[in-house]
Amino acid sequence: MEEKERLAWFHVPANEAGEKEMEYMDYLDTPSPNIREFSFPYNYNNYLLHLYFDFNKEFNIIIDDCENERMKKEDVPKALEMAIAFKENANDNETKEAALKLIEILSFAKEHNSLVEFWF
């Protein structure tokens, strides 16, 4: 599969039941109404690398290709602020488009006081 066909996945619990389901990873085999699944073209990650590095440093996490990562719900509001600033400073349409998709994901997580799982 070519990189442009590959997707990056993000999972965000919509409620407490979704958070519990994510503890056991049941949602990977059977979609859950309690967990919202987002995706975007995998190559968007290339445009977001600097933002991911900033997230890693700020929140002591590791967003990369080697493993999945979860951003704590307490960190989502700050991450959203960082993503908005990143988009505003972007110099090209591809980076802005990728940032907008991530802002959508982080906004949903913030609205639901929830974590974000980065699933690459």
Side-chain angles (χ1 to χ4, degrees):
M1 179 174 359
E2 292 184 36
E3 187 172 304
K4 67 181 179 181
E5 296 172 2
R6 186 174 165 199
L7 296 175
W9 295 94
F10 303 82
H11 301 100
V12 181
N15 51 41
E16 285 185 38
E19 285 186 40
K20 290 186 188 302
E21 290 174 29
M22 285 187 73
E23 287 178 27
Y24 301 103
M25 300 183 78
D26 295 337
Y27 62 96
L28 295 177
D29 296 324
T30 306
S32 168
N34 300 311
I35 299 170
R36 174 94 185 263
E37 188 174 81
F38 295 87
S39 66
F40 58 55
Y42 185 83
N43 68 339
Y44 277 20
N45 287 324
N46 296 332
Y47 301 108
L48 299 173
L49 282 177
H50 292 292
L51 180 59
Y52 290 161
F53 290 143
D54 291 343
F55 286 172
N56 291 345
K57 184 177 177 183
E58 181 75 24
F59 307 122
N60 197 31
I61 58 178
I62 302 172
I63 299 172
D64 64 10
D65 278 343
C66 298
E67 59 189 336
N68 306 316
E69 185 64 78
R70 289 187 179 174
M71 177 182 286
K72 296 177 190 172
K73 62 181 156 186
E74 298 83 18
D75 296 333
V76 168
K78 174 71 174 175
L80 178 57
E81 290 175 17
M82 293 168 69
I84 291 168
F86 180 80
K87 182 189 90 41
E88 290 173 358
N89 292 318
N91 295 323
D92 60 87
N93 289 335
E94 292 85 0
T95 301
K96 288 179 183 182
E97 186 176 332
L100 276 173
K101 289 299 289 182
L102 186 58
I103 288 168
E104 176 188 350
I105 295 162
L106 293 169
S107 293
F108 182 86
K110 182 180 177 186
E111 289 168 19
H112 291 84
N113 189 32
S114 196
L115 62 90
V116 176
E117 180 178 61
F118 294 75
W119 188 272
F120 305 147

